[in-house]
Amino acid sequence: MRVPSLHVRSPQSCQLDVGVQNTSDAMTRQAALDGGVSPFTPSERITCSVPNSNAVDITREFIDFIYDNPTVFHATEYFAELYTKKGFEFLAERDDWTSKLKKGGKYFTTRNGSSIVAFVVGGNYKGGNGAGIIAAHIDALTARIKPISKKPVVEGYTQIGVAPYSGTMTNTWWDRDLGLGGRVVVRNADGTFETKLLCVPYPVARIPTLAPHFGAPSRGPFNLETNTTPIIALEPSDLSENNLKPDEEGAPLAEKHNIRLLRVIASELNVQVKDLLNFDLELFDTQKGTIGGLDQDFVFCPRLDDKMCCFAAANALLNTAEEYAATGSNINVAAFFDNEEIGSLLKQGARGGLLESSITRVVRALGDGATVQQTYANSFLVSADVKHAVNPNFEYAYLPYHTPKLNVGITVPWDPNGHMTTDSESAAFLEEIARRTDNKIQYFQIRNDSRSGGTIGPMLSSSLGCRSIDVGIPQLSMHSIRACTGARDIPLGAKMFQAFYKEWEDVDQTFKRGALAAFS
């Protein structure tokens, strides 16, 4: 990503942008003098050179990833393609994996096009050995298009019916340039069904605020059904454009959605309106993320939660895959789940069993009769989800000494009520890895008078019965349509996750020997 030059008025540290502009200004001033009038003297335009950025390549790659993959379906496909390019073999859930699984193999599977589990089987794997797992969620807060999105025309505006996915359509979603994307089920010419990904390449919707001049109505409270309906067009001057064309008669979606919207979708997918069968579409912020701050310390970007941890974990798994496939004795896993923001209860969520079934199939194929329960007992789970960085405007809302900073290292959250899985043993385990690999760890716990969030850690660790810790990359403005993290936080997260994949096996042995000694 190219950071644009900054234009300021007159800092002495910047160089004057000289050239044709100055020559033109001189001619203008001379012409004004010749005419006997006082010349207009424009301000000097100063161009600052961009300071050296603290960000590394992975941060810029992440920004591009978020921009190019705005929905959970796009993000999942991105990781699937990335794994494939790096030599991972795709295993369809419907197929028998037994003959395909090999020691030293690299694999991935998906469910619903919105969850993905990738794993590397160590070349020295033995039945009963464990799995080193990093699990995150790949979904983000959004606004979903309703199954019947047609709305009555209001004062000449064409609107679209949407519903909040988790806590969206708050004030941060108002007055934003919103794109449209997701997946669409279409009928092919041969009668088969196919799912295609859609991303309309320009903003199509906006939720307009009411100007403060209107007084009380502009201050809320606002009704999510009636006050947050996006506008997507003005009604056409030729109202016949709202009528169905002969080849659109009988189209399955024609009575459910605005026909002009359907035409845009069909055009983008290069199909006919009558071939559109159904879709899962959503709105998203179209503004690309950027690196910012005086010293380029920050990343301002949409959808950090929790694609940031997914991206770091995937990079860590790929960076260690070849070595681990050759020398590892366990299984390294990266699992990214949909629906965390709404409870994880659907088949593609963390409660859907995709992780458990994937590990079980490996054990049955390669475990020489070992039980999956033994495998889980020897496993370690890192539940990775973004964490709250300290906000300098609200430092009083944080527990003292539990104030994670940006560009320092990952955060380990604690919660006495079980919303996080961190305990003394799992914290000591990860801290030992951090000491060995020059990683820093920060702590976070919510105040007693605040409410803690939750992660997929408790549900997965209880299902697997394995040791677990919660970690996260810190960020500001969680659940806003645009958030902020440090320009070095994504590479720092990837560094810690890579250290986990490389060191957890050895650290686990030191804990195992200590446990045996305690009972000998």
Side-chain angles (χ1 to χ4, degrees):
M1 185 199 70
R2 178 179 176 274
V3 181
S5 299
L6 305 174
H7 293 286
V8 297
R9 287 294 175 183
S10 57
Q12 296 180 357
S13 61
C14 300
Q15 295 182 347
L16 178 64
D17 184 10
V18 297
V20 176
Q21 174 71 43
N22 290 348
T23 302
S24 177
D25 290 346
M27 294 174 64
T28 301
R29 286 194 293 271
Q30 185 59 50
L33 289 172
D34 292 343
V37 297
S38 298
F40 165 70
T41 303
S43 300
E44 294 178 342
R45 292 188 178 270
I46 309 298
T47 301
C48 286
S49 59
V50 178
N52 292 330
S53 173
N54 287 330
V56 294
D57 290 343
I58 187 175
T59 303
R60 301 181 188 280
E61 291 171 7
F62 172 78
I63 291 172
D64 290 339
F65 156 71
I66 289 293
Y67 184 73
D68 295 335
N69 301 279
T71 76
V72 64
F73 304 108
H74 290 84
T76 302
E77 184 179 75
Y78 168 87
F79 288 120
E81 292 178 349
L82 184 63
Y83 290 139
T84 299
K85 290 177 182 177
K86 297 297 184 178
F88 282 60
E89 180 182 352
F90 172 63
L91 302 174
E93 272 202 286
R94 290 179 178 234
D95 295 344
D96 183 356
W97 296 3
T98 306
S99 62
K100 299 178 180 180
L101 291 169
K102 308 292 182 185
K103 295 179 182 180
K106 302 176 295 182
Y107 309 94
F108 73 94
T109 188
T110 63
R111 180 180 290 176
N112 190 55
S114 61
S115 290
I116 184 167
V117 173
F119 54 94
V120 180
V121 182
N124 298 318
Y125 171 76
K126 295 180 180 179
N129 287 5
I133 307 162
I134 299 178
H137 72 87
I138 198 170
D139 61 319
L141 274 66
T142 187
R144 293 278 172 87
I145 307 305
K146 291 183 176 180
I148 300 176
S149 70
K150 292 178 70 171
K151 302 287 290 185
V153 175
V154 178
E155 299 294 340
Y157 287 100
T158 305
Q159 296 180 285
I160 186 170
V162 298
Y165 176 85
S166 191
T168 51
M169 298 170 66
T170 57
N171 61 336
T172 69
W173 280 72
W174 294 43
D175 294 335
R176 302 296 305 183
D177 302 333
L178 303 176
L180 178 70
R183 67 177 178 183
V184 183
V185 182
V186 302
R187 180 187 287 110
N188 293 320
D190 60 3
T192 58
F193 294 168
E194 181 182 0
T195 298
K196 298 191 174 205
L197 296 188
L198 171 76
C199 181
V200 179
Y202 53 87
V204 299
R206 189 178 183 88
I207 303 173
T209 56
L210 184 66
H213 309 72
F214 287 89
S218 69
R219 295 192 291 268
F222 301 107
N223 186 295
L224 288 180
E225 184 62 43
T226 59
N227 299 136
T228 62
T229 304
I231 57 174
I232 59 173
L234 294 174
E235 282 297 289
S237 55
D238 182 1
L239 294 179
S240 66
E241 292 184 25
N242 289 329
N243 299 333
L244 297 182
K245 299 176 182 178
D247 62 349
E248 297 169 343
E249 295 287 347
L253 300 183
E255 300 302 319
K256 299 180 177 70
H257 307 281
N258 184 280
I259 189 60
R260 290 181 292 145
L261 171 67
L262 295 179
R263 288 170 186 155
V264 169
I265 294 171
S267 176
E268 290 295 326
L269 297 177
N270 197 28
V271 299
Q272 302 297 314
V273 169
K274 62 182 177 60
D275 295 325
L276 303 175
L277 300 180
N278 224 310
F279 52 63
D280 294 305
L281 296 180
E282 61 190 54
L283 301 179
F284 59 87
D285 180 30
T286 60
Q287 183 180 351
K288 189 172 184 178
T290 187
I291 297 172
L294 291 178
D295 297 315
Q296 309 288 277
D297 287 326
F298 306 124
V299 173
F300 309 132
C301 191
R303 301 179 290 282
L304 294 182
D305 180 7
D306 183 35
K307 292 180 175 66
M308 188 160 55
C309 289
C310 294
F311 192 83
N315 274 269
L317 183 71
L318 290 171
N319 289 341
T320 57
E322 291 301 324
E323 180 181 353
Y324 198 82
T327 64
S329 300
N330 293 270
I331 310 165
N332 277 351
V333 185
F336 309 149
F337 297 102
D338 194 3
N339 297 142
E340 186 273 345
E341 297 291 0
I342 57 171
S344 300
L345 287 171
L346 302 181
K347 65 182 183 299
Q348 59 270 20
R351 296 181 192 267
L354 181 60
L355 174 61
E356 295 90 330
S357 66
S358 298
I359 295 175
T360 298
R361 291 171 114 172
V362 174
V363 174
R364 288 177 178 172
L366 304 176
D368 300 319
T371 65
V372 71
Q373 289 83 2
Q374 182 184 1
T375 300
Y376 292 155
N378 284 308
S379 298
F380 194 97
L381 167 69
V382 175
S383 168
D385 200 349
V386 293
K387 294 297 173 279
H388 298 288
V390 63
N391 186 323
N393 295 327
F394 299 92
E395 60 177 337
Y396 57 83
Y398 294 75
L399 186 65
Y401 310 111
H402 297 73
T403 52
K405 310 298 192 297
L406 299 180
N407 291 332
V408 172
I410 66 162
T411 296
V412 170
W414 300 70
D415 187 274
N417 297 302
H419 296 107
M420 309 291 169
T421 62
T422 306
D423 59 28
S424 60
E425 288 193 350
S426 64
F429 190 106
L430 196 68
E431 286 173 338
E432 175 61 19
I433 294 176
R435 280 190 291 269
R436 294 184 180 193
T437 56
D438 191 31
N439 279 281
K440 293 183 179 179
I441 290 179
Q442 307 181 83
Y443 277 6
F444 176 80
Q445 182 166 312
I446 204 77
R447 287 167 52 104
N448 292 343
D449 54 2
S450 299
R451 180 181 66 87
S452 176
T455 72
I456 59 177
M459 64 188 72
L460 285 178
S461 65
S462 61
S463 174
L464 298 170
C466 71
R467 296 161 294 169
S468 178
I469 188 171
D470 268 274
V471 306
I473 299 174
Q475 70 159 85
L476 294 167
S477 307
M478 191 180 297
H479 286 193
S480 172
I481 196 170
R482 288 182 71 81
C484 171
T485 190
R488 293 193 57 79
D489 277 314
I490 297 167
L492 285 171
K495 180 187 175 187
M496 184 68 241
F497 294 157
Q498 184 168 321
F500 170 77
Y501 282 134
K502 295 181 74 171
E503 298 289 337
W504 84 269
E505 217 177 88
D506 187 61
V507 173
D508 183 49
Q509 289 303 310
T510 63
F511 271 78
K512 186 175 182 179
R513 288 194 297 270
L516 291 174
F519 290 98
S520 61

